[in-house]
Amino acid sequence: MTLPDTAATPAGDDRTFQVDLRGLVDLLSHHLYSSPRVYLRELLQNAVDALTARHTLEPGASTDAFGIRLYADGSVVRVEDDGVGLTEADVHTFLATIGRSSKRAEKIAEQRGDFIGQFGIGLLSCFLVADEIHVLSRSARTPDAPAVEWRGRGDGSYTVRSLPASARPRPGTTVTLTPRADAGEWTRPLQVQALARHFGSLLRHPVTFTDTTGGTPAPVNPDPAPWAGTYPTPGARSRALAAYGEDVLGFKPLDTIELDLPAVGLKGIACVLPETVPAGRRHGHRVHVKGMLLSEQAEEILPEWAFFVRCVVDAESLRPTASRESLYEDDTLAAVRDALAERLRDWIARAAASDPDLLARFLQVHHLAVKSLAVHDDEILRMLLPWLPFETTDGHATLDEFARTHRTVLVTSSVEEFRQVAAIASAAGLGVVNGGYTYDRELVHRLPEIRPEASVADLDPATLTAHLDPVDRETELAAAAYLAQARDALAVFDCDVALRAFQPASAPALLVDSREARHERTRSQLAREQEGGVWGDILGALRQEAPRAQLILNQLNPLVRTAVTITEPELARTSAEALYGQAAMLSRRPLRPAESSLINRSFLDLLAHALRKDS
């Protein structure tokens, strides 16, 4: 930028900004618009707004009386409308002034809600694919108005001239582009037709396309939106909406939810996805504003928990951003999001009340989404918690079924804790729910809100060990020497060893070791290693009594009964290490390097012992 010569200019004189049009177009292409293809949407949008203004001028005319016609032959792209048109003064005012919208003219600003465009820069998008824009227009406001021609060029220059009315016999506007050689991807006839259908399939004015074949113009939007149609039966309507959702979104919906918010002029459908999606993965929704496609990736239209649906909606009152490719976050959008969320809740409630088969299919696929909603929504919690599936010691079951069998429901804090105790707890008659999955522990603890007679408690290792039968004193004394050897071998893992009797007899050992206990032991170990330093003092201040893991050997297991009779010290240590390693693997928790090394070493030592014995 060149600074003005202040010596040659009287102080206080106003200056006018000079705009580099090529630089502005580059800014639009790289930072405002996602793709050059939006040029056709902007042309369609300007044409629709011109038709809206024409209907304001002639309110008695039917919607089909005026239309939009597209033409492309590879050398030009042309968009013609029967809209309100422009006078020469309008052309100078609006086409030659960047950023000013013609929708502000002649009190039209009072009806801005009737127009799609809000920023008056749409015509500039045509410079993304062409170096020259030719506009021929005739105003409908003045019956004898001449036609006016405007030619704008990418270097920022333009010309305007008046032409005889015969140059355009009917009011309206024709915009013609001569594409650049590098813009063929977006201006070929088939592509122009495809883009017109993509952006304008739900427009309320008739739009047609003609190419070089010169045949009958092909309708771009032959059918109205499916929710605007009439059907002989509710079933026929439901099938039509589902077919439309499948065609537009590319999947066969599990169910289709009709959306209707008259306050903002929103209509559409929400299609329930037929497959599970990860929690929090938000899908883009297809949002039209007054029939024109705004975005296929509008995540903001629904709350985060509604990731089990994808929507197609058309709205009157939602506000687009400057690029007109997403929605502006304002109070209206927030209210729409809340209202649509309520529609989804209503659908879940109806399914729970009147269609258990649909509810079962939905929960089988999307139980995680419903759990995330139930955590924060008391109504959904009361309605669906009894139906939600959980992993339990009785297999996968609903809490309602599980609570009928187990008056006290125990819940683990992690998946690995559940894996450790599931078989033993089941054999002992304890009812345990795996609370390690997202939302599950919190939801299980809220079960008494639905079933007051149910009792819920966190699973404590002491609760489980209390249900394991003690062995008689003679058996324990006979195994004392072995247990001492085992404790010594496993001291490196802060693991105690005990002998009990429990079912199933096929389980030789149970390792009781919570994640919190392991973290506390790790912290204690770090404190010992850092003793004397600042970090060691910090860890020491946090140190609690480090809880020990416990390897519980099963006296009912034949292998254990043989192991506790071993008198050879090295073999006793090796067998204890092997039993610990097998129990650690059965717990399905990640093994520490020392544990992996122990498992390998104990296996090789036992193999070597067996080979020496055989020889």
Side-chain angles (χ1 to χ4, degrees):
M1 176 183 291
T2 303
L3 296 175
D5 183 355
T6 56
T9 303
D13 279 9
D14 289 336
R15 297 290 189 107
T16 300
F17 283 104
Q18 302 298 312
V19 178
D20 180 350
L21 189 58
R22 290 189 184 278
L24 182 58
V25 170
D26 182 71
L27 180 68
L28 295 178
S29 63
H30 289 95
H31 300 286
L32 184 63
Y33 295 126
S34 61
S35 164
R37 69 177 185 167
V38 300
Y39 84 93
L40 192 68
R41 184 198 64 198
E42 297 293 340
L43 289 177
L44 282 172
Q45 181 170 285
N46 287 343
V48 170
D49 287 340
L51 290 173
T52 302
R54 180 77 180 270
H55 280 286
T56 301
L57 190 66
E58 304 176 30
S62 69
T63 303
D64 293 335
F66 310 123
I68 303 171
R69 295 166 293 281
L70 284 74
Y71 173 81
D73 62 4
S75 59
V76 298
V77 175
R78 186 164 61 244
V79 178
E80 180 180 346
D81 68 69
D82 300 317
V84 71
L86 299 170
T87 64
E88 183 172 347
D90 292 337
V91 167
H92 282 291
T93 302
F94 301 117
L95 297 189
T97 305
I98 295 172
R100 180 177 295 174
S101 172
S102 62
K103 272 83 78 177
R104 297 192 183 101
E106 298 188 12
K107 299 184 180 180
I108 293 178
E110 296 177 4
Q111 299 95 26
R112 285 179 70 93
D114 295 334
F115 297 94
I116 303 172
Q118 297 285 321
F119 298 91
I121 59 174
L123 198 62
L124 287 179
S125 66
C126 295
F127 285 121
L128 300 176
V129 298
D131 286 326
E132 183 175 285
I133 304 171
H134 175 253
V135 177
L136 180 64
S137 187
R138 182 180 172 190
S139 176
R141 297 191 181 94
T142 307
D144 58 351
V148 59
E149 179 190 63
W150 178 87
R151 289 184 183 272
R153 289 170 285 276
D155 59 7
S157 63
Y158 71 93
T159 60
V160 180
R161 62 172 180 157
S162 293
L163 299 175
S166 59
R168 182 176 173 86
R170 300 172 59 189
T173 301
T174 302
V175 181
T176 304
L177 309 180
T178 302
R180 293 195 305 271
D182 62 353
E185 177 183 359
W186 308 110
T187 57
R188 289 190 293 268
L190 288 178
Q191 181 67 292
V192 172
Q193 185 178 22
L195 289 176
R197 288 175 174 167
H198 178 73
F199 290 117
S201 63
L202 297 185
L203 288 176
R204 291 85 183 265
H205 302 282
V207 184
T208 60
F209 173 80
T210 306
D211 59 14
T212 54
T213 60
T216 303
V220 168
N221 53 341
D223 302 313
W227 46 82
T230 57
Y231 303 89
T233 65
R237 182 180 184 86
S238 178
R239 288 190 293 272
L241 294 177
Y244 177 79
E246 183 176 3
D247 181 57
V248 172
L249 299 176
F251 64 86
K252 186 175 182 179
L254 187 67
D255 196 24
T256 306
I257 308 163
E258 190 161 1
L259 307 174
D260 187 3
L261 303 179
V264 291
L266 183 146
K267 291 181 179 290
I269 55 173
C271 295
V272 182
L273 290 159
E275 297 179 350
T276 305
V277 292
R281 177 184 290 179
R282 300 184 68 184
H283 289 281
H285 305 286
R286 191 178 178 93
V287 176
H288 299 250
V289 175
K290 301 176 182 68
M292 182 70 71
L293 178 64
L294 179 78
S295 174
E296 295 177 279
Q297 300 297 326
E299 296 180 353
E300 60 275 16
I301 197 74
L302 286 180
E304 291 187 8
W305 57 259
F307 53 83
F308 56 88
V309 298
R310 287 191 65 190
C311 293
V312 184
V313 299
D314 185 21
E316 295 288 335
S317 301
L318 293 179
R319 180 182 172 191
T321 59
S323 66
R324 291 187 281 277
E325 295 185 301
S326 58
L327 294 170
Y328 187 82
E329 188 68 48
D330 58 10
D331 291 343
T332 300
L333 178 58
V336 166
R337 184 163 49 237
D338 291 343
L340 292 180
E342 191 62 30
R343 298 296 185 274
L344 297 184
R345 290 188 184 95
D346 291 344
W347 174 82
I348 294 174
R350 287 195 304 272
S354 61
D355 197 340
D357 289 339
L358 173 61
L359 180 67
R361 294 198 305 272
F362 171 65
L363 291 179
Q364 184 179 10
V365 177
H366 296 296
H367 59 271
L368 185 58
V370 177
K371 287 178 180 179
S372 71
L373 176 57
V375 166
H376 304 100
D377 190 307
D378 291 344
E379 182 180 352
I380 293 296
L381 177 77
R382 290 191 297 272
M383 188 187 311
L384 292 183
L385 182 58
W387 295 82
L388 291 172
F390 291 83
E391 185 179 10
T392 76
T393 46
D394 291 350
H396 282 84
T398 67
L399 285 184
D400 196 52
E401 296 169 337
F402 196 66
R404 290 197 191 101
T405 308
H406 304 279
R407 189 171 184 82
T408 298
V409 176
L410 302 172
V411 58
T412 65
S413 59
S414 66
V415 174
E416 64 189 60
E417 186 179 18
F418 180 81
R419 298 284 186 265
Q420 290 176 27
V421 305
I424 311 301
S426 178
L430 296 176
V432 183
V433 179
N434 185 351
Y437 295 119
T438 307
Y439 311 118
D440 282 13
R441 183 166 175 263
E442 184 175 355
L443 288 172
V444 174
H445 273 287
R446 298 188 67 178
L447 177 63
E449 298 177 29
I450 313 301
R451 294 180 63 93
E453 69 277 12
S455 174
V456 177
D458 286 326
L459 177 66
D460 187 287
T463 303
L464 179 64
T465 54
H467 283 75
L468 305 182
D469 297 329
V471 297
D472 60 72
R473 183 170 178 78
E474 291 182 4
T475 301
E476 190 165 7
L477 287 174
Y482 178 84
L483 295 178
Q485 292 280 0
R487 292 187 186 105
D488 183 62
L490 301 179
V492 66
F493 299 115
D494 287 317
C495 183
D496 194 10
V497 183
L499 184 65
R500 296 286 187 275
F502 55 87
Q503 296 292 340
S506 58
L510 168 67
L511 180 61
V512 179
D513 189 19
S514 69
R515 180 184 300 175
E516 292 76 11
R518 291 197 303 277
H519 287 177
E520 182 58 37
R521 292 198 299 274
T522 300
R523 185 165 58 188
S524 299
Q525 177 65 28
L526 285 173
R528 290 194 295 270
E529 293 174 356
Q530 298 288 338
E531 189 171 355
V534 174
W535 184 239
D537 293 340
I538 295 173
L539 291 174
L542 296 174
R543 182 167 48 195
Q544 304 171 3
E545 183 66 27
R548 305 191 74 191
Q550 191 173 35
L551 180 68
I552 303 174
L553 303 181
N554 187 3
Q555 174 64 18
L556 300 181
N557 182 267
L559 178 64
V560 171
R561 287 201 300 270
T562 301
V564 296
T565 64
I566 297 174
T567 57
E568 184 182 339
E570 285 302 316
L571 182 57
R573 292 176 60 90
T574 300
S575 64
E577 290 173 342
L579 288 169
Y580 175 90
Q582 190 259 0
M585 286 191 296
L586 287 179
S587 73
R588 302 186 189 180
R589 64 167 170 80
L591 296 176
R592 291 172 286 179
E595 291 173 329
S596 298
S597 176
L598 174 141
I599 292 170
N600 291 331
R601 185 179 67 251
S602 61
F603 171 76
L604 293 175
D605 288 349
L606 288 174
L607 181 61
H609 176 82
L611 292 175
R612 286 197 303 271
K613 184 177 179 180
D614 290 342
S615 63

